[in-house]
Amino acid sequence: MTEPKPAEKPEPDDTAPVTPAPETAPERPAEEPADQERRPGFGSLFLRYVTTANTVMVTLYSFLLAMVIGAVLIIVSDPAVRGTFTYFFSRPTDALSASWTAVSDAYAGLFAGAIVNFTTLAEFQAGEATIGRLLSPISETLTYAAPLILAGLAVGLAFQAGLFNIGAQGQVIMGTVGAALIGFGLHLPAYLHLPLALLGGAIAGGLFGAIPGVLKAWSGAHEVITSIMLNYVALSALGWIITNEFVKDPDPNKQYAISKPADESSLLPRLAGMLGIDAPGLRANLGIIVAIAAAALVAWLLAKSTLGFRMRAVGLNAHASRTAGMSVPNTYITSMGGAGALAGLAGATLVLGISPHALTHGVAGEVGFDGITVALLGRAKPWGVVAAGLLFGALRAGANTMQSTLPLDMVTLLQALIVIFIAAPALVKAMLHLKVPAGGLATTTAKGW
Amino acid sequence: MSRRVRTALTSLVALGAVTLTACGEAPDESGSDGGDFQACMITDTGGVDDRSFNQSVWQGLNDAAESNGDIEPSYLTSASEADYEPNLSQAVSKGCEVVVAVGGVMTDATRAAAEANPDVFFVMVDGLIDLPNVYSVQFDTAQPAFLAGYLAAGTSETGKVATFGGMKIPPVTIFMDGFAEGVAHYNREKDADVQVLGWNPETQEGSFADSFTDQSAGRSLTQNFLSQDADVILPVAGNAALGAPSAAEGTEGAKVIWVDFDGCEAAEQYCALFLTSVMKNIPPVVADTVTEAQAGENRTGSFIGTLENDGVGLAPYHELESEVPAGLADEVSALREQIIDGTITVDSPASP
């Protein structure tokens, strides 16, 4: 849970600015008194903002620090670059240029694979490249981002109610099952089939997600433990379901474990087709719109609705909420059920949006676990989660194109580093000698640890 | 010692270390590159060093590159199944002449990529795609599993052998079918009564670890079989199968038959326990296909690895050679010939 509001931004008050705790800035004590005498200008306000460990700057610095450490690892892990360091003193330019090339190639590749490749852009303007090739990086980013955003919302919503939903992975798996069963089990026109399949995923995930909520409400069992364990239950259940007679693809050429594919009418239509762009290779589908709509719904729920108010109140202080007459157990159940439904929706976008549109053992990938990191990076706020999901989607898309020069694990590592720094703002503050903001350091964690 | 002095000293030592290691001679500038015929492999989620399918396909590509310098192998890793499509299209767009897709789950994505790019040659390992620009590679492992069953029955001293699978899916049960048939054949030939625990080919029911990674599940299944007096075990369960030799280690006379690859290479530490291995010979077929493609001859249709074309087979007996009676080894070789010439047919509902 985030701290109640005040930590967000340092307010540029008319009164004298609050002097930060002196122990953090020993190297520039002389500047502070001068500031206090007159109203600070934009420059000094900006300087103070960027040198304070507030939420925005910690997030930004976490990303930059992760990139720096990533750069060091890129240099160290490349045998060719490492080789140039063995003769550093006889020709240092080799080592420096090789390092620079390795790092800049990697990060440029990441950008080119995730947003836009400038070489392709130039070719496109010259009429040599198709629109499909130009848009493919951004299309990949959106494809990967959609389930990540939904899974991130699932974890974030639970955070808001003070619950740590580690069970997102299991709920995503159940969502894939619900969506797939409706996808190949029913044969309906598209305008009915697709919404029903999405709903099926959400309901399956929601029911499965509600279990830890019920257990916590009725017996006090900690949701972290129960939801972790339910991940295993979901995975084993998936294995059993796939090999089931009704589900298994009867095609004799498909000897491996795979379910029947979902009907065409239940699949998420591709954005390129909807926008009239002739590029069959672009995978980005309606899933990203579903994800953003879900984020808007969650934002509205938390900010405007009674239910959302109750969730946040319970998240901030369950005892006070109970005294105020709210039903804490019911809030646990609805929060976890809602979180599960969001994760289930993530599962539905995986099955209905990504080939082979069927259940396999790996259908959910690591989406549920990545959702935890997305929610942490997005500070459990709906629009923050959207931004974080887009960033992680971009990293995944970029990683695919970067892998000819760098191992795929590098991106997992970058993600992990970012989250470590976000989760430990004191570390970022100490490394960069930042000041403590007015409300103290903000971390995103659940209550009850 | 003040903090500053300490920091300075540490830095000095570190600098010294760096200086010493960085004093080598600068090499002459030189650039030598591999060939220009790009053979690209798309791994499934196991990764290129999975000691299984992916690794042997990669081995095959490297073998091809070694014998023909014009071939330049590379691979793209799939971290999740969602990566199959982008990896396939990336392989095509970076100009790969041959794209080798690994793993049945990739079949649909590969078919789509092959349809969209009729000029690119695809090799589908462990899946079947009926397109002119795709060569499908599959393996009929029931045949060597039959030989392994016969061998196990002949070697068993307790009259009981056992098998278990990772999951009840055809690529797994095909081994168990062949194994049980081989034992049944031994019983008919020798009028013996060797029992198979863990699999019933008629009902298609048996013992499964429900995992390809959980070694403790493989271990407890194996211990269960050993306590029922079985002494030859065939685990068909990926990494979970490692539980079998680890459980057999403590039991006198217990032996294990490995699958997919030569156990003495895949799990060297247990070589003394491996009677033999039921192998898929992936590298040669991949290497040959790529080498021919480089010469301009794209194979079409499909390859089904059998005993006849050496696509599948039994591994050497290695350290347990002395345990296999000379007569039995000859009988197994004769059986192999009989399967090849069609006198004996091995049927499994799971055969490709």
Side-chain angles (χ1 to χ4, degrees), chain A residues 159-402:
Chain A
F159 269 142
Q160 295 282 0
L163 299 165
F164 198 172
N165 178 18
I166 299 193
Q169 181 71 13
Q171 295 147 18
V172 171
I173 290 176
M174 283 301 157
T176 63
V177 172
L181 287 180
I182 292 185
F184 66 72
L186 302 178
H187 307 289
L188 299 165
Y191 63 87
L192 263 180
H193 205 171
L194 174 59
L196 263 185
L198 287 173
L199 195 66
I203 290 176
L207 289 177
F208 198 72
I211 298 174
V214 170
L215 289 175
K216 187 179 179 89
W218 291 356
S219 69
H222 203 294
E223 78 282 356
V224 167
I225 312 293
T226 51
S227 64
I228 288 179
M229 291 302 143
L230 283 168
N231 286 337
Y232 293 104
V233 173
L235 191 63
S236 300
L238 175 72
W240 176 77
I241 289 167
I242 294 175
T243 49
N244 211 296
E245 202 72 16
F246 170 69
V247 178
K248 172 90 181 72
D249 195 323
D251 184 345
N253 289 329
K254 292 189 176 169
Q255 295 285 358
Y256 40 90
I258 191 166
S259 77
K260 298 170 194 165
D263 284 9
E264 193 73 33
S265 56
S266 66
L267 302 186
L268 288 160
R270 294 191 166 184
L271 292 180
M274 297 171 75
L275 297 173
I277 300 170
D278 178 33
L282 297 182
R283 290 199 296 167
N285 55 55
L286 207 58
I288 186 71
I289 309 288
V290 172
I292 288 169
L297 182 73
V298 171
W300 173 84
L301 182 86
L302 288 172
K304 306 275 184 211
S305 75
T306 322
L307 183 65
F309 176 73
R310 219 188 298 146
M311 285 180 186
R312 285 188 295 133
V314 169
L316 286 174
N317 190 332
H319 299 293
S321 310
R322 187 177 295 118
T323 312
M326 298 175 189
S327 166
V328 176
N330 282 349
T331 310
Y332 284 152
I333 298 173
T334 44
S335 307
M336 283 304 288
L342 288 163
L345 216 46
T349 62
L350 284 169
V351 166
L352 306 174
I354 290 171
S355 167
H357 306 297
L359 296 177
T360 61
H361 288 291
V363 64
E366 299 277 295
V367 164
F369 295 120
D370 288 345
I372 299 172
T373 52
V374 168
L376 283 171
L377 179 57
R379 306 280 172 176
K381 296 194 169 56
W383 297 114
V385 167
V386 171
L390 286 170
L391 175 68
F392 276 22
L395 284 174
R396 285 293 308 278
N400 280 339
T401 40
M402 198 173 73

Side-chain angles (χ1 to χ4, degrees), chain A residues 85-106:
Chain A
F85 273 93
T86 56
Y87 57 89
F88 187 81
F89 287 104
S90 69
R91 198 160 68 217
T93 46
D94 269 22
L96 295 177
S97 73
S99 306
W100 171 248
T101 315
V103 172
S104 59
D105 278 3

